[in-house]
């Protein structure tokens, strides 16, 4: 059991001990070691003491002293303790019931311990008893789990109670400030009513968590920190999309020719899709053959949600449009335009046909690729037409670089009277080309 003492009784007991109580038995042995004393963290009114000894601890007495008045307010006798963990010669002892002290606050603890050998020790500064009310939150909730771009308000309701250290009972804490934290930042501080209830509304601008927290308040010095569980709040994004007006279909251009890209960014509304103004993003041109993309530029959509720009691609590919909104409530949008095919020019620089003595025809010619690129293989079809309208392939030869152009030649045996020409078919990014039609010269 433990008993309260008045200041006068404490002084008298101190004088008695100083006058004639022996410190320990005069026998060999080691006196018990009082390691520490403290409140149980989840049960502040319960005192716990850690003691080690060379034999079983047989007696414990704890003196509770006010840190304000320095007066002893209670003594906890041995029969109030039970072994909570460990063994009797090395363990932690706890009071079976919470202590009942005259006031909330902090108390120093002096501990006397005696073991089975009769060895006795006193630890004047064994530790501290934190005799405070513990703040506890109940039924804390939000009125929604996610918010939208046009509705970002979240209401938080709950109850704040205090767990008494003497009875462990939960009692409403009236007129106490409660911080409503959004992502660990206090956004509102309502006060509790007579039943400990509180309510407040906060603005949520991104996916985060909300928590109710009681922090130290000067008007309530004996109520300790408490917090509710964190409550996640997500965001509901506005759907967006691109509509490409130009090029609407696949487009083929010559190298050096520009392309105008026109597209509209739209957002979903209750009334349907609508232009989305003031949104920023970027455009890349992605080569169809792979490799590094070209940065076309950034943009901000106009009042009609539209963007327009002109670009000169160097090879075939597609435009990639992407929005990068800083508003987390706006979903990103990305799309690719139809294919833009870029063709390089091919030309015949010369072509001739000469009839040979054996009634054959020898054709010669040359090709050029003015845009600076050359196919890996330059295949030339030599064609014949009796009337200059309907053409038939006679042979196919490969043209090789001659120093001035890609030259080629071929011999046609038993050539009938008519017309000859050379044909280069479109290959990859190169346009087709046809030479002039000529009659063999004699």
């Amino acid at each position: 059991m433990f008993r309260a003492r008045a200041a006068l009784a404490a002084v008298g007991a101190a004088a008695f001990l100083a006058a004639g109580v022996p410190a320990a038995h005069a026998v060999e042995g080691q006196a018990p070691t009082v390691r520490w004393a403290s409140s149980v963290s989840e049960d502040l009114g319960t005192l716990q003491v850690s003691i080690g000894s060379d034999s079983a601890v047989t007696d414990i007495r704890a003196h509770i002293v006010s840190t304000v008045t320095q007066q002893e307010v209670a003594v906890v006798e041995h029969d109030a303790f039970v072994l909570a963990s460990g063994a009797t010669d090395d363990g932690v002892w706890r009071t079976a019931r919470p202590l009942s002290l005259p006031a909330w606050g902090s108390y120093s603890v002096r501990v006397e311990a005696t073991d089975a050998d009769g060895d006795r020790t006193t630890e004047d500064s064994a530790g501290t008893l934190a005799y405070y009310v513990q703040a506890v939150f109940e039924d804390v909730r939000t009125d929604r789990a996610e918010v939208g771009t046009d509705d970002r308000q979240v209401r938080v309701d709950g109850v704040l109670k205090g767990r008494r250290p003497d009875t462990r009972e939960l009692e409403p804490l009236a007129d106490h400030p409660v911080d409503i934290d959004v992502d660990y930042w206090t956004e509102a501080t309502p006060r509790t009513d007579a039943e400990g209830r509180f309510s407040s509304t906060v603005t949520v601008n991104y996916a985060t968590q909300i928590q109710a927290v009681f922090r130290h308040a000067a008007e309530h010095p004996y109520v300790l920190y408490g917090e509710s569980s964190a409550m996640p709040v997500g965001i509901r994004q506005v759907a967006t999309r691109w509509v490409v007006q130009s090029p609407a279909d696949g487009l083929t251009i010559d190298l050096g020719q520009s392309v105008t890209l026109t597209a509209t960014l739209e957002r979903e509304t209750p009334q349907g899709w609508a232009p989305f103004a003031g949104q920023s993003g970027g455009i890349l041109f992605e080569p169809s053959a792979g490799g590094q993309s070209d940065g076309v530029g950034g943009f901000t959509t106009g009042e009609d949600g539209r963007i327009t720009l002109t670009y000169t691609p160097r090879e075939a590919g597609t435009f990639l449009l992407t929005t990068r909104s800083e508003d987390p409530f706006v979903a990103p949008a990305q799309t690719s335009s139809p294919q833009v095919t870029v063709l390089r020019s091919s030309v015949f620089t010369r072509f001739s046909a000469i009839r040979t003595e054996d009634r054959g025809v020898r054709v010669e010619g040359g090709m050029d690729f003015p845009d600076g690129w050359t196919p890996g293989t330059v295949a030339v079809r030599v064609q014949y037409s009796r009337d200059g309208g309907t053409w038939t392939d006679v042979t196919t030869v490969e043209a090789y670089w001659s120093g001035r152009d890609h030259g080629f030649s071929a011999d046609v045996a038993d050539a009938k009277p008519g017309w000859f020409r050379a044909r280069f078919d479109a290959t990859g990014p190169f346009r087709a080309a046809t030479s002039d039609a000529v009659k063999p010269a004699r």
Side-chain angles (χ1 to χ4, degrees):
M1 61 174 293
F2 64 88
R3 49 192 170 83
R5 293 189 175 184
L8 184 59
V11 173
F16 173 74
L17 290 173
V21 177
H25 288 277
V27 295
E28 290 189 7
Q30 184 176 354
T33 299
V34 178
R35 298 189 182 95
W36 49 262
S38 70
S39 296
V40 176
S41 59
E42 66 276 9
D43 188 9
L44 299 181
T46 298
L47 175 66
Q48 59 183 352
V49 181
S50 175
I51 304 174
S53 183
D54 59 356
S55 62
V57 174
T58 57
D59 188 65
I60 303 172
R61 178 175 295 183
H63 299 260
I64 312 300
V65 179
S66 170
T67 58
V68 177
T69 65
Q70 304 302 313
Q71 299 299 310
E72 183 177 286
V73 299
V75 174
V76 185
E77 304 288 0
H78 180 71
D79 60 0
F81 287 95
V82 294
L83 184 64
S85 64
T88 56
D89 62 346
D90 186 3
V92 175
W93 302 77
R94 288 183 178 178
T95 54
R97 299 194 308 271
L99 305 186
S100 180
L101 302 180
W104 311 141
S106 180
Y107 295 87
S108 60
V109 181
R110 180 165 62 90
V111 177
E112 301 168 5
T114 304
D115 64 14
D117 296 332
D119 298 316
R120 178 176 174 274
T121 189
T122 299
E123 178 57 58
D124 290 329
S125 299
T128 301
L129 178 69
Y131 203 67
Y132 293 92
V133 175
Q134 176 66 60
V136 176
F137 283 96
E138 290 185 347
D139 195 26
V140 180
R141 61 195 182 281
T142 59
D143 66 344
R144 63 188 59 194
E146 66 176 13
V147 292
T149 185
D150 299 321
D151 186 8
R152 306 188 184 191
Q153 305 301 303
V154 177
R155 176 173 167 171
V156 183
D157 296 281
V159 179
L160 177 63
K161 292 184 177 180
R163 177 177 287 108
R164 294 175 58 99
D166 53 351
T167 65
R168 301 186 180 122
E169 293 180 354
L170 289 173
E171 297 180 349
L173 296 180
D175 196 29
H176 281 58
V178 174
D179 289 338
I180 307 300
D181 287 3
V182 177
D183 195 21
Y184 305 104
W185 187 264
T186 300
E187 295 292 343
T189 306
R191 298 188 76 88
T192 58
D193 64 14
E195 296 179 355
R197 294 176 300 189
F198 61 89
S199 180
S200 187
T201 299
V202 294
T203 300
V204 174
N205 292 313
Y206 44 84
T208 184
Q209 60 182 19
I210 296 177
Q211 192 173 27
V213 180
F214 175 79
R215 295 181 169 90
H216 177 75
E219 69 267 38
H220 303 291
Y222 300 117
V223 180
L224 297 184
Y225 176 93
E227 62 182 30
S228 72
S229 298
M231 297 164 290
V233 177
I235 60 175
R236 184 174 58 258
Q237 291 186 315
V238 174
T240 60
R241 71 177 185 183
W242 282 105
V243 178
V244 178
Q245 283 86 28
S246 175
D249 300 305
L251 180 66
T252 299
I253 62 172
D254 291 322
L255 181 67
Q257 185 177 348
S258 297
V259 177
T260 298
L261 172 68
T262 303
T264 301
L265 180 65
E266 297 179 337
R267 61 168 290 182
E268 190 174 24
T269 71
Q271 293 74 38
W273 292 96
F276 202 0
Q279 300 302 299
S280 299
I283 302 173
L284 297 176
F285 190 82
E286 298 188 312
S288 301
Q292 185 173 358
S293 301
D294 290 335
V296 177
F299 62 81
T300 299
T301 57
E303 290 299 321
D304 57 359
R306 180 168 294 193
I307 62 168
T308 299
L309 59 86
T310 300
Y311 180 69
T312 305
R314 298 190 297 271
E315 55 187 313
T318 57
F319 292 100
L320 177 65
L321 297 82
T322 304
T323 55
R324 293 187 289 269
S325 176
E326 296 182 359
D327 187 345
F329 287 85
V330 176
Q334 181 173 294
T335 194
S336 293
S337 72
Q339 171 88 9
V340 177
T341 300
V342 179
L343 297 181
R344 301 176 185 277
S345 60
S346 307
V347 296
F348 282 93
T349 54
R350 54 192 174 89
F351 183 75
S352 63
I354 300 175
R355 187 168 292 280
T356 61
E357 294 181 357
D358 58 358
R359 302 181 63 182
V361 172
R362 181 173 182 80
V363 296
E364 295 182 350
M367 285 197 70
D368 188 24
F369 301 92
D371 294 328
W373 292 62
T374 304
T377 299
V378 183
V380 177
R381 290 190 291 143
V382 178
Q383 297 180 320
Y384 164 78
S385 175
R386 183 174 181 177
D387 57 6
T390 302
W391 296 91
T392 303
D393 287 352
V394 175
T395 187
T396 299
V397 295
E398 186 173 348
Y400 295 95
W401 179 246
S402 64
R404 61 171 180 165
D405 57 17
H406 288 77
F408 62 91
S409 64
D411 291 312
V412 181
D414 297 325
K416 298 178 180 179
W419 301 79
F420 287 86
R421 73 178 187 183
R423 171 76 179 175
F424 174 78
D425 292 329
T427 303
F430 296 92
R431 283 193 178 276
T434 304
S435 71
D436 293 337
V438 298
K439 283 187 174 183
R442 294 186 179 276

